[in-house]
Amino acid sequence: MRVSFSIMTADLLDPLLDASFKGYPRTQAPRARSAVGAAGWNVLAGDLPLPLAVIRREALAHNLAWMQRYVQSQGIDLAPHGKTTMSPQLFARQIDAGAWGITFANVAQLTIGVAAGVRRCLIANQVMQDEDLAGIQQMLAAHDGLRVVFLVDSSAQLALIEVWAAGRPHTRPFEVMLEIGLDGGRTGCRTEEEAIALARALGASAAVRLVGIECYEGLWATGDSAADSALATALMDRVQAVARLCGDEDLFDTDEVLCSAGGSAVFDLVAGRLRPALGRPVRGLLRSGCYVTHDHGFYTRMMGQVNARIGCDCAEDGLRPAMEVWAAVQSCPEPRLAILTAGRRDVSFDITMPIPFARAVRGAQAPTGVPWSWKITALNDQHAYLHWDDSDDALAPVVGERVGLGISHPCTTFDKWRWMPVVDEAYNVVDAITTAF
């Protein structure tokens, strides 16, 4: 008996929001996500409880357009990593802006993306478990025009795929990309010889079709342009050498070869190397994901180097922070210490502490800047410790005041929220997105 599984697309794209969603006003009736923008709420008017993560509409639109223009200038396409947001609404915005498809980290994320309407999908990871292989086949059978490509980096993985497929003779061959890795890194073939041997095995296998080659450089980004450039150049030299050997031996089983790389830190160093000359069409796919909201910390620092390399005016033309977390000052228990109502459950902390950038006293609907010495020094589950220098005592926060926190690394803020309001420049709520982690 055939068992089918489906996720209701309407439930993903336009779910009903209520007070069970952190940040939704408890005094308001449930609303469909699409109706939130008509509610007339303003974040700084106190219409929603804090802490609250918000997305700035204008910065979001700017970032979507900026990255699309960039990949077009390089003659490649964008397959942004969906793990950053896991937001069906943002997947749709990225595709509407021109993205070729969406990248996922695993089959569970793929399932969400397919239910949300994504039809060109990369899994930037190895797939070999029986349930995952069966899930991909089930989705391919259920959705016309769906394409799913995942990574292979070992003969052991290929053997598991072949064993699974051998007992199911009517399944489609899986589309796969050969992954090139670096010593000390994560996945991927470590040597050119290993990669070519695996490519030959993939080319001879009835269970898979070799359609491209892939790598990931972002794990090694340091912010030192000379070091980052040297590493990216060496990695892409290997990628192109393996791709050419695969082309020479006719190992690619596709009319158009996919060549993919690109995190969000040094994507400019690989973008120009994603179309090797192979005697057949090649589609370069950049997988950067964090660009969509950018941040106030790590990626702002890394983009300073990217902007310098590509000749971009950061102040006018670069990516802009589009995500903020607002919290309230709940206590000032000792000199030069304020406790805020946001903690590890609300904001990312895996790279740096949150960054105070704005304040709004109780009753004010327009934020102002904060003293340079304001720093978040620690987080508990639900609390942030804000300290400042004694020279800024005259500008100390007060209980009830609101503080805007910038983030460092958007991925690990998105996964802490089931929904986020989208706000205009005056912090009026104009839309909302949801997440499905």
Side-chain angles (χ1 to χ4, degrees):
M1 180 178 68
R2 181 178 178 180
V3 178
S4 64
F5 171 76
S6 65
I7 295 174
M8 296 300 292
T9 298
D11 292 340
L12 279 175
L13 298 180
D14 199 23
L16 188 68
L17 306 182
D18 58 26
S20 69
F21 286 69
K22 180 175 64 174
Y24 189 90
R26 289 169 287 277
T27 57
Q28 295 289 322
R31 281 180 172 81
R33 181 208 60 81
S34 60
V36 166
W41 299 335
N42 181 282
V43 173
L44 298 183
D47 295 328
L48 299 99
L50 302 183
L52 183 68
V54 304
I55 295 176
R56 302 289 293 268
R57 179 181 63 184
E58 281 71 23
L60 173 66
H62 169 85
N63 293 346
L64 289 166
W66 189 97
M67 187 58 87
Q68 202 60 45
R69 288 195 304 271
Y70 177 75
V71 295
Q72 289 172 349
S73 76
Q74 301 297 304
I76 60 176
D77 285 287
L78 189 63
H81 213 316
K83 73 177 176 64
T84 297
T85 72
M86 282 308 295
S87 170
Q89 297 81 30
L90 292 178
F91 296 164
R93 288 286 300 269
Q94 290 170 307
I95 291 171
D96 288 347
W100 176 87
I102 301 291
T103 298
F104 301 99
N106 51 49
V107 177
Q109 293 179 4
L110 169 73
T111 304
I112 298 296
V114 171
V118 180
R119 291 297 176 265
R120 294 190 186 118
C121 308
L122 301 184
I123 299 179
N125 218 338
Q126 282 65 36
V127 178
M128 82 292 293
Q129 297 183 74
D130 290 359
E131 168 64 19
D132 287 339
L133 296 169
I136 291 174
Q137 289 289 334
Q138 186 179 77
M139 283 182 267
L140 290 171
H143 300 282
D144 291 340
L146 175 62
R147 187 175 188 190
V148 178
V149 183
F150 62 82
L151 308 185
V152 176
D153 74 344
S154 70
S155 58
Q157 179 194 358
L158 175 59
L160 291 173
I161 297 169
E162 289 178 327
V163 168
W164 184 89
R168 299 162 180 84
H170 302 298
T171 59
R172 307 182 198 183
F174 294 98
E175 290 192 89
V176 300
M177 301 175 75
L178 174 67
E179 183 173 26
I180 304 297
L182 289 167
D183 287 343
R186 296 193 308 214
T187 52
C189 296
R190 296 305 202 247
T191 68
E192 187 172 314
E193 293 74 21
E194 178 187 356
I196 290 300
L198 178 58
R200 289 169 178 155
L202 294 169
S205 176
V208 300
R209 292 174 49 220
L210 180 60
V211 301
I213 190 164
E214 182 272 355
C215 69
Y216 172 58
E217 80 297 335
L219 189 66
W220 303 92
T222 65
D224 179 324
S225 274
D228 291 341
S229 296
L231 183 135
T233 296
L235 177 60
M236 295 310 297
D237 284 348
R238 289 178 58 203
V239 167
Q240 292 199 338
V242 172
R244 285 192 294 269
L245 283 168
C246 290
D248 291 345
E249 295 189 23
D250 200 25
L251 301 178
F252 291 118
D253 186 9
T254 179
D255 293 331
E256 177 186 72
V257 175
L258 303 180
C259 185
S260 179
S264 298
V266 292
F267 56 83
D268 63 305
L269 297 177
V270 298
R273 304 289 304 278
L274 294 178
R275 295 185 64 192
L278 301 180
R280 69 178 76 190
V282 177
R283 185 179 298 275
L285 294 175
L286 195 69
R287 300 193 310 275
S288 308
C290 293
Y291 78 92
V292 67
T293 59
H294 199 44
D295 71 6
H296 291 77
F298 175 74
Y299 286 115
T300 288
R301 293 192 298 275
M302 298 302 290
M303 274 301 297
Q305 297 299 318
V306 174
N307 290 332
R309 290 192 294 264
I310 67 176
C312 174
D313 183 339
C314 181
E316 295 297 327
D317 301 323
L319 295 173
R320 301 172 185 171
M323 185 193 295
E324 305 167 359
V325 176
W326 281 82
V329 178
Q330 71 180 83
S331 178
C332 297
E334 60 188 63
R336 290 178 289 284
L337 171 64
I339 304 298
L340 310 185
T341 59
R344 293 171 180 258
R345 303 295 178 95
D346 311 302
V347 65
S348 55
F349 56 90
D350 54 315
I351 295 181
T352 67
M353 288 288 109
I355 304 159
F357 73 94
R359 66 192 300 181
V361 299
R362 187 176 177 85
Q365 293 190 36
T368 59
V370 302
W372 68 270
S373 69
W374 281 25
K375 298 287 190 304
I376 301 297
T377 59
L379 295 174
N380 298 147
D381 282 358
Q382 314 288 174
H383 301 91
Y385 293 70
L386 172 62
H387 283 90
W388 60 92
D389 292 348
D390 55 5
S391 60
D392 287 319
D393 277 345
L395 299 171
V398 298
V399 172
E401 185 169 8
R402 286 77 54 82
V403 178
L405 301 174
I407 62 167
S408 191
H409 189 203
C411 297
T412 48
T413 295
F414 269 107
D415 68 4
K416 293 170 174 56
W417 296 88
R418 295 168 62 201
W419 82 294
M420 295 182 192
V422 178
V423 300
D424 65 14
E425 294 301 287
Y427 288 91
N428 296 307
V429 177
V430 296
D431 198 359
I433 63 99
T434 56
T435 67
F437 285 95

mmCIF file of all heavy atoms in Angstrom, residues 17-31 41 46-52 328 341 417 419:
data_model
loop_
_atom_site.group_PDB
_atom_site.id
_atom_site.type_symbol
_atom_site.label_atom_id
_atom_site.label_comp_id
_atom_site.label_asym_id
_atom_site.label_seq_id
_atom_site.Cartn_x
_atom_site.Cartn_y
_atom_site.Cartn_z
ATOM 1 N N LEU A 17 -2.107 33.163 13.195
ATOM 2 C CA LEU A 17 -1.241 33.558 14.298
ATOM 3 C C LEU A 17 -2.086 33.900 15.512
ATOM 4 O O LEU A 17 -3.162 34.476 15.386
ATOM 5 C CB LEU A 17 -0.393 34.779 13.913
ATOM 6 C CG LEU A 17 0.435 34.666 12.629
ATOM 7 C CD1 LEU A 17 1.253 35.937 12.429
ATOM 8 C CD2 LEU A 17 1.333 33.446 12.656
ATOM 9 N N ASP A 18 -1.586 33.546 16.684
ATOM 10 C CA ASP A 18 -2.300 33.863 17.921
ATOM 11 C C ASP A 18 -1.290 34.014 19.047
ATOM 12 O O ASP A 18 -0.075 34.030 18.811
ATOM 13 C CB ASP A 18 -3.351 32.798 18.245
ATOM 14 C CG ASP A 18 -2.770 31.397 18.393
ATOM 15 O OD1 ASP A 18 -1.567 31.282 18.743
ATOM 16 O OD2 ASP A 18 -3.492 30.412 18.151
ATOM 17 N N ALA A 19 -1.764 34.130 20.268
ATOM 18 C CA ALA A 19 -0.891 34.402 21.407
ATOM 19 C C ALA A 19 0.033 33.248 21.743
ATOM 20 O O ALA A 19 0.921 33.401 22.591
ATOM 21 C CB ALA A 19 -1.727 34.784 22.625
ATOM 22 N N SER A 20 -0.123 32.088 21.112
ATOM 23 C CA SER A 20 0.841 31.009 21.313
ATOM 24 C C SER A 20 2.140 31.288 20.565
ATOM 25 O O SER A 20 3.132 30.599 20.782
ATOM 26 C CB SER A 20 0.248 29.666 20.870
ATOM 27 O OG SER A 20 0.094 29.614 19.463
ATOM 28 N N PHE A 21 2.152 32.281 19.680
ATOM 29 C CA PHE A 21 3.345 32.696 18.960
ATOM 30 C C PHE A 21 4.025 33.796 19.768
ATOM 31 O O PHE A 21 3.434 34.864 19.981
ATOM 32 C CB PHE A 21 2.995 33.232 17.564
ATOM 33 C CG PHE A 21 2.603 32.182 16.570
ATOM 34 C CD1 PHE A 21 1.406 31.483 16.699
ATOM 35 C CD2 PHE A 21 3.419 31.900 15.487
ATOM 36 C CE1 PHE A 21 1.035 30.519 15.777
ATOM 37 C CE2 PHE A 21 3.055 30.935 14.557
ATOM 38 C CZ PHE A 21 1.868 30.247 14.706
ATOM 39 N N LYS A 22 5.248 33.556 20.207
ATOM 40 C CA LYS A 22 5.974 34.557 20.982
ATOM 41 C C LYS A 22 6.026 35.876 20.229
ATOM 42 O O LYS A 22 6.401 35.923 19.060
ATOM 43 C CB LYS A 22 7.394 34.054 21.259
ATOM 44 C CG LYS A 22 8.270 34.997 22.061
ATOM 45 C CD LYS A 22 9.618 34.378 22.404
ATOM 46 C CE LYS A 22 10.460 34.082 21.189
ATOM 47 N NZ LYS A 22 11.819 33.612 21.545
ATOM 48 N N GLY A 23 5.650 36.954 20.911
ATOM 49 C CA GLY A 23 5.656 38.270 20.294
ATOM 50 C C GLY A 23 4.320 38.705 19.738
ATOM 51 O O GLY A 23 4.161 39.864 19.357
ATOM 52 N N TYR A 24 3.355 37.788 19.676
ATOM 53 C CA TYR A 24 2.023 38.158 19.209
ATOM 54 C C TYR A 24 1.261 38.770 20.386
ATOM 55 O O TYR A 24 1.299 38.257 21.506
ATOM 56 C CB TYR A 24 1.277 36.935 18.679
ATOM 57 C CG TYR A 24 -0.023 37.267 17.976
ATOM 58 C CD1 TYR A 24 -0.037 37.505 16.610
ATOM 59 C CD2 TYR A 24 -1.225 37.342 18.677
ATOM 60 C CE1 TYR A 24 -1.222 37.812 15.955
ATOM 61 C CE2 TYR A 24 -2.408 37.654 18.036
ATOM 62 C CZ TYR A 24 -2.397 37.890 16.673
ATOM 63 O OH TYR A 24 -3.583 38.193 16.030
ATOM 64 N N PRO A 25 0.529 39.867 20.177
ATOM 65 C CA PRO A 25 -0.165 40.532 21.296
ATOM 66 C C PRO A 25 -1.266 39.664 21.892
ATOM 67 O O PRO A 25 -2.168 39.207 21.196
ATOM 68 C CB PRO A 25 -0.722 41.809 20.657
ATOM 69 C CG PRO A 25 -0.704 41.590 19.188
ATOM 70 C CD PRO A 25 0.386 40.617 18.903
ATOM 71 N N ARG A 26 -1.187 39.477 23.174
ATOM 72 C CA ARG A 26 -2.146 38.620 23.868
ATOM 73 C C ARG A 26 -3.535 39.239 23.958
ATOM 74 O O ARG A 26 -4.507 38.544 24.222
ATOM 75 C CB ARG A 26 -1.611 38.294 25.271
ATOM 76 C CG ARG A 26 -0.418 37.356 25.243
ATOM 77 C CD ARG A 26 0.263 37.245 26.579
ATOM 78 N NE ARG A 26 1.012 38.431 26.915
ATOM 79 C CZ ARG A 26 2.249 38.692 26.483
ATOM 80 N NH1 ARG A 26 2.850 37.819 25.676
ATOM 81 N NH2 ARG A 26 2.873 39.781 26.823
ATOM 82 N N THR A 27 -3.624 40.539 23.758
ATOM 83 C CA THR A 27 -4.919 41.221 23.832
ATOM 84 C C THR A 27 -5.648 41.227 22.498
ATOM 85 O O THR A 27 -6.757 41.766 22.402
ATOM 86 C CB THR A 27 -4.721 42.670 24.290
ATOM 87 O OG1 THR A 27 -3.821 43.327 23.371
ATOM 88 C CG2 THR A 27 -4.140 42.714 25.696
ATOM 89 N N GLN A 28 -5.038 40.636 21.468
ATOM 90 C CA GLN A 28 -5.618 40.657 20.132
ATOM 91 C C GLN A 28 -6.142 39.277 19.739
ATOM 92 O O GLN A 28 -5.596 38.252 20.153
ATOM 93 C CB GLN A 28 -4.570 41.108 19.110
ATOM 94 C CG GLN A 28 -4.099 42.537 19.298
ATOM 95 C CD GLN A 28 -5.166 43.539 18.923
ATOM 96 O OE1 GLN A 28 -5.914 43.347 17.960
ATOM 97 N NE2 GLN A 28 -5.249 44.622 19.688
ATOM 98 N N ALA A 29 -7.179 39.282 18.937
ATOM 99 C CA ALA A 29 -7.728 38.033 18.414
ATOM 100 C C ALA A 29 -6.745 37.406 17.417
ATOM 101 O O ALA A 29 -5.905 38.106 16.847
ATOM 102 C CB ALA A 29 -9.063 38.303 17.730
ATOM 103 N N PRO A 30 -6.837 36.120 17.203
ATOM 104 C CA PRO A 30 -5.993 35.489 16.182
ATOM 105 C C PRO A 30 -6.223 36.115 14.814
ATOM 106 O O PRO A 30 -7.331 36.561 14.487
ATOM 107 C CB PRO A 30 -6.446 34.027 16.207
ATOM 108 C CG PRO A 30 -7.005 33.828 17.581
ATOM 109 C CD PRO A 30 -7.669 35.124 17.933
ATOM 110 N N ARG A 31 -5.169 36.183 14.026
ATOM 111 C CA ARG A 31 -5.237 36.720 12.671
ATOM 112 C C ARG A 31 -4.435 35.833 11.733
ATOM 113 O O ARG A 31 -3.393 35.290 12.114
ATOM 114 C CB ARG A 31 -4.637 38.130 12.595
ATOM 115 C CG ARG A 31 -5.520 39.243 13.093
ATOM 116 C CD ARG A 31 -4.788 40.585 12.959
ATOM 117 N NE ARG A 31 -5.665 41.702 13.239
ATOM 118 C CZ ARG A 31 -5.981 42.129 14.449
ATOM 119 N NH1 ARG A 31 -5.493 41.510 15.507
ATOM 120 N NH2 ARG A 31 -6.777 43.176 14.601
ATOM 121 N N TRP A 41 -0.783 48.009 13.886
ATOM 122 C CA TRP A 41 0.134 47.952 15.018
ATOM 123 C C TRP A 41 1.417 48.728 14.739
ATOM 124 O O TRP A 41 1.863 48.862 13.595
ATOM 125 C CB TRP A 41 0.512 46.506 15.329
ATOM 126 C CG TRP A 41 -0.640 45.636 15.706
ATOM 127 C CD1 TRP A 41 -1.831 46.037 16.261
ATOM 128 C CD2 TRP A 41 -0.726 44.216 15.554
ATOM 129 N NE1 TRP A 41 -2.642 44.949 16.479
ATOM 130 C CE2 TRP A 41 -1.992 43.817 16.055
ATOM 131 C CE3 TRP A 41 0.139 43.241 15.068
ATOM 132 C CZ2 TRP A 41 -2.412 42.488 16.063
ATOM 133 C CZ3 TRP A 41 -0.272 41.919 15.079
ATOM 134 C CH2 TRP A 41 -1.529 41.551 15.566
ATOM 135 N N GLY A 46 3.968 50.203 21.609
ATOM 136 C CA GLY A 46 3.609 49.242 22.644
ATOM 137 C C GLY A 46 2.490 48.312 22.248
ATOM 138 O O GLY A 46 1.875 47.675 23.112
ATOM 139 N N ASP A 47 2.240 48.184 20.936
ATOM 140 C CA ASP A 47 1.138 47.334 20.492
ATOM 141 C C ASP A 47 1.483 45.850 20.526
ATOM 142 O O ASP A 47 0.589 45.005 20.446
ATOM 143 C CB ASP A 47 0.718 47.723 19.069
ATOM 144 C CG ASP A 47 0.138 49.123 18.994
ATOM 145 O OD1 ASP A 47 -0.487 49.551 19.981
ATOM 146 O OD2 ASP A 47 0.311 49.778 17.950
ATOM 147 N N LEU A 48 2.762 45.522 20.605
ATOM 148 C CA LEU A 48 3.196 44.130 20.649
ATOM 149 C C LEU A 48 4.122 43.931 21.841
ATOM 150 O O LEU A 48 4.869 44.847 22.208
ATOM 151 C CB LEU A 48 3.926 43.738 19.363
ATOM 152 C CG LEU A 48 3.117 43.836 18.072
ATOM 153 C CD1 LEU A 48 3.429 45.128 17.344
ATOM 154 C CD2 LEU A 48 3.401 42.655 17.157
ATOM 155 N N PRO A 49 4.096 42.759 22.464
ATOM 156 C CA PRO A 49 4.947 42.521 23.628
ATOM 157 C C PRO A 49 6.405 42.349 23.227
ATOM 158 O O PRO A 49 6.718 41.886 22.127
ATOM 159 C CB PRO A 49 4.371 41.227 24.214
ATOM 160 C CG PRO A 49 3.769 40.522 23.042
ATOM 161 C CD PRO A 49 3.234 41.595 22.149
ATOM 162 N N LEU A 50 7.292 42.717 24.144
ATOM 163 C CA LEU A 50 8.721 42.541 23.949
ATOM 164 C C LEU A 50 9.217 41.418 24.856
ATOM 165 O O LEU A 50 8.645 41.203 25.928
ATOM 166 C CB LEU A 50 9.457 43.846 24.266
ATOM 167 C CG LEU A 50 9.039 45.078 23.469
ATOM 168 C CD1 LEU A 50 9.921 46.268 23.845
ATOM 169 C CD2 LEU A 50 9.083 44.830 21.972
ATOM 170 N N PRO A 51 10.265 40.701 24.414
ATOM 171 C CA PRO A 51 11.110 40.959 23.249
ATOM 172 C C PRO A 51 10.396 40.618 21.939
ATOM 173 O O PRO A 51 9.446 39.824 21.928
ATOM 174 C CB PRO A 51 12.307 40.054 23.469
ATOM 175 C CG PRO A 51 11.750 38.900 24.239
ATOM 176 C CD PRO A 51 10.730 39.505 25.162
ATOM 177 N N LEU A 52 10.905 41.195 20.871
ATOM 178 C CA LEU A 52 10.298 40.987 19.565
ATOM 179 C C LEU A 52 11.357 41.150 18.490
ATOM 180 O O LEU A 52 12.068 42.158 18.447
ATOM 181 C CB LEU A 52 9.177 42.005 19.342
ATOM 182 C CG LEU A 52 8.388 41.866 18.043
ATOM 183 C CD1 LEU A 52 7.561 40.584 18.055
ATOM 184 C CD2 LEU A 52 7.488 43.073 17.831
ATOM 185 N N ALA A 328 12.914 45.348 26.382
ATOM 186 C CA ALA A 328 12.652 46.406 27.354
ATOM 187 C C ALA A 328 13.656 46.332 28.491
ATOM 188 O O ALA A 328 14.157 45.251 28.834
ATOM 189 C CB ALA A 328 11.227 46.279 27.905
ATOM 190 N N THR A 341 14.901 42.453 28.675
ATOM 191 C CA THR A 341 13.990 41.298 28.572
ATOM 192 C C THR A 341 14.239 40.469 27.321
ATOM 193 O O THR A 341 13.307 40.075 26.624
ATOM 194 C CB THR A 341 12.539 41.779 28.575
ATOM 195 O OG1 THR A 341 12.354 42.668 27.447
ATOM 196 C CG2 THR A 341 12.180 42.484 29.854
ATOM 197 N N TRP A 417 12.284 32.214 16.510
ATOM 198 C CA TRP A 417 10.991 32.885 16.334
ATOM 199 C C TRP A 417 10.138 32.129 15.334
ATOM 200 O O TRP A 417 10.604 31.781 14.249
ATOM 201 C CB TRP A 417 11.207 34.326 15.854
ATOM 202 C CG TRP A 417 11.926 35.139 16.874
ATOM 203 C CD1 TRP A 417 13.284 35.269 17.032
ATOM 204 C CD2 TRP A 417 11.335 35.893 17.919
ATOM 205 N NE1 TRP A 417 13.566 36.063 18.098
ATOM 206 C CE2 TRP A 417 12.393 36.471 18.678
ATOM 207 C CE3 TRP A 417 10.010 36.154 18.300
ATOM 208 C CZ2 TRP A 417 12.155 37.287 19.780
ATOM 209 C CZ3 TRP A 417 9.784 36.961 19.397
ATOM 210 C CH2 TRP A 417 10.851 37.519 20.127
ATOM 211 N N TRP A 419 7.400 33.544 14.155
ATOM 212 C CA TRP A 419 6.918 34.589 13.250
ATOM 213 C C TRP A 419 7.718 35.852 13.538
ATOM 214 O O TRP A 419 8.326 35.996 14.610
ATOM 215 C CB TRP A 419 5.425 34.849 13.421
ATOM 216 C CG TRP A 419 5.115 35.786 14.588
ATOM 217 C CD1 TRP A 419 5.318 35.543 15.920
ATOM 218 C CD2 TRP A 419 4.567 37.107 14.497
ATOM 219 N NE1 TRP A 419 4.926 36.625 16.667
ATOM 220 C CE2 TRP A 419 4.462 37.600 15.832
ATOM 221 C CE3 TRP A 419 4.148 37.917 13.453
ATOM 222 C CZ2 TRP A 419 3.957 38.868 16.117
ATOM 223 C CZ3 TRP A 419 3.638 39.165 13.734
ATOM 224 C CH2 TRP A 419 3.545 39.645 15.049
#
